[in-house]
Amino acid sequence: MSTTTLTPSSDKSVGSNWSRTGGSTYSGDLSDASDSTYGSINSSTSTNNHLQLTLTAIPGNVLTLTAVSIVLRCLAASTKNTPEIAARVWNSTGTTALTSLATVLPTSSFSNISTSVTLSDSTISDWTNAYLDIQSVGDGANTTLEVSEASVVLTVTLASAPGTPTNLVASYASATSVTLTWTQGSGTVTDNKVKYGTDGTTFGTTVDQGSAVTTATITGLTTKQLYFFEVDAENGSGASAYTAPVTWVCGSAWTGQVSQSSDDAYESSGTVTLTDATISPTSGKYAGWRWQNVLLAGGVDVTQATLYLYFSSVSSPANTFSVDCQASTSAATFTTASNNISGRSLTGVTGGAAVGGAGTGWNNFPDLQGAVQAVVNQGGWASGDPIVVQFVGNTGLTGITIEMFDGNSVQAAILAVFTVTAAQWEAAIYTTESSCESAASNIALNNEWGVVASGSDH
């Protein structure tokens, strides 16, 4: 919530925050007051007379409206009765109860009475059409009161748009869907929207959840396609900013992106740098990437491991590079120590890829299956351990520029790992059992009909 102050103009002209309404219903428009900054209310009859201040600039997301320092003064008075002055907020959708501001003592002097009152009502749904209704309670005493327009200050408490959600996480749902979870931000949330796209920059598809939720499954996706997802929070006062995007390769068991500056590095002639915005590796140059919290169980069957690199520019790219993983269950983040990339112990299961034909944007290199399998097969490997990939340019490598975390975190390197799912295991077991049953049936039939199996001594 937030507060703001609205103040009327200090003269008879219609100010940017207030306008005035007179007419037969109201005894005394502000323009009729004897003092240019006062409007008069007369209680000479038994009818309750009003002075109306139209609240033209009150925004639509008001929670409460408080009128403070309403200064009243008595122009003329009779000792017959003691008149009262009251106020309310009113519009076509609701009204507050009439709230007494002050009992005005009969006097012929220009005495001022300061008062304040909180005026709020949940039944008023459209504050943009509301007005402050200052009313004299008629007593037939011919008492004339004035209200200082300049002294009426309204403090408005506004409902705020909610805060941005946090902790957005993507996870496997199926080969063509992904599950997202998040934590709501501050304030009241009535709806969440998910946006997604395939490059981390353009989010062309919006999925409106229709209510405040903290999980959503996005369906109809393409298997093995790289996606980026973001989510916002909304209420009647507006929408939060969208979260930073999270990435997921549809159908993978785990997808991760380099998430801090020291988790990617570049090495040339033994010198290691950690803060490059981009790198242009050539023959004998090294790059390293580290992914934290890799959620793969020890010994899981890896069917594919794909490295995604964002090429910010290409110029006649040629030849190849090699990749391998560090043989460790606790691979440390990079430092500027000499040979901190090239000096790491590797699995020895080297993959390779050619860059010829690569274009700007995301390029994927599915050549790490053996190395990742070797890492998760290590004794002591547990879900949540980190993985480090070492990249080295082979002879003649040229023509590529790779985006690094410090250049654009959304374009930092991504690793996606596919494994054999439980459903695939069940299907494989069913197929094997069916094959065995079919073979047994054929043998039985052959025996019944006297057919000798190939290779028999009979």
Side-chain angles (χ1 to χ4, degrees), residues 2 52 62 70 97 112 125 159 171 192 212 304 315 417:
S2 61
Q52 178 187 12
V62 169
I70 297 181
N112 291 346
S125 60
S171 60
N192 293 101
Q304 181 178 315
S315 178
V417 181

Side-chain angles (χ1 to χ4, degrees), residues 366-435:
D367 301 296
L368 280 163
Q369 181 273 332
V372 172
Q373 184 70 73
V375 171
V376 300
N377 282 350
Q378 296 174 105
W381 170 269
S383 178
D385 287 343
I387 284 182
V388 162
V389 167
Q390 182 205 79
F391 166 113
V392 60
N394 295 329
T395 301
L397 177 65
T398 186
I400 60 173
T401 299
I402 303 173
E403 198 73 27
M404 302 291 271
F405 178 88
D406 286 292
N408 187 334
S409 61
V410 177
Q411 296 169 351
I414 294 168
L415 179 64
V417 181
F418 292 78
T419 64
V420 177
T421 66
Q424 289 171 324
W425 270 116
E426 291 173 0
I429 292 170
Y430 175 80
T431 300
T432 302
E433 289 176 345
S434 297
S435 297

Side-chain angles (χ1 to χ4, degrees), residues 22-104:
S24 58
T25 306
Y26 305 98
S27 175
D29 184 9
L30 284 182
S31 62
D32 299 330
S34 59
D35 186 306
S36 64
T37 61
Y38 282 73
S40 62
I41 304 175
N42 187 279
S43 58
S44 60
T45 68
S46 59
T47 303
N48 295 337
N49 295 313
H50 305 262
L51 175 66
Q52 178 187 12
L53 303 177
T54 304
L55 310 180
T56 57
I58 299 292
N61 56 335
V62 169
L63 290 180
T64 62
L65 179 145
T66 304
V68 299
S69 299
I70 297 181
V71 178
L72 312 172
R73 71 179 182 178
C74 185
L75 275 180
S78 164
T79 58
K80 180 178 180 181
N81 287 307
T82 303
E84 291 184 9
I85 190 146
R88 63 180 178 176
V89 176
W90 183 92
N91 77 352
S92 59
T93 62
T95 179
T96 61
L98 195 64
T99 303
S100 178
L101 295 176
T103 297
V104 183

Side-chain angles (χ1 to χ4, degrees), residues 131-152:
Y131 61 77
L132 177 63
D133 181 16
I134 300 175
Q135 175 179 334
S136 68
V137 180
D139 63 356
N142 197 32
T143 300
T144 300
L145 302 176
E146 290 189 335
V147 179
S148 170
E149 180 195 9
S151 71
V152 181

Side-chain angles (χ1 to χ4, degrees), residues 204-290:
T205 304
T206 300
V207 183
D208 189 344
Q209 300 305 303
S211 62
V213 296
T214 55
T215 185
T217 297
I218 308 302
T219 61
L221 305 177
T222 301
T223 303
K224 296 188 177 181
Q225 172 65 54
L226 174 64
Y227 289 97
F228 293 83
F229 301 89
E230 59 182 15
V231 63
D232 79 343
E234 302 184 7
N235 63 23
S237 297
S240 73
Y242 276 86
T243 60
V246 299
T247 185
W248 192 257
V249 177
C250 200
S252 67
W254 177 84
T255 299
Q257 187 165 32
V258 168
S259 58
Q260 66 181 28
S261 178
S262 62
D263 278 349
D264 60 10
Y266 183 60
E267 180 181 325
S268 177
S269 301
T271 299
V272 178
T273 53
L274 303 178
T275 59
D276 296 284
T278 60
I279 61 173
S280 299
T282 55
S283 176
K285 310 298 183 183
Y286 290 85
W289 295 283
R290 177 177 180 265

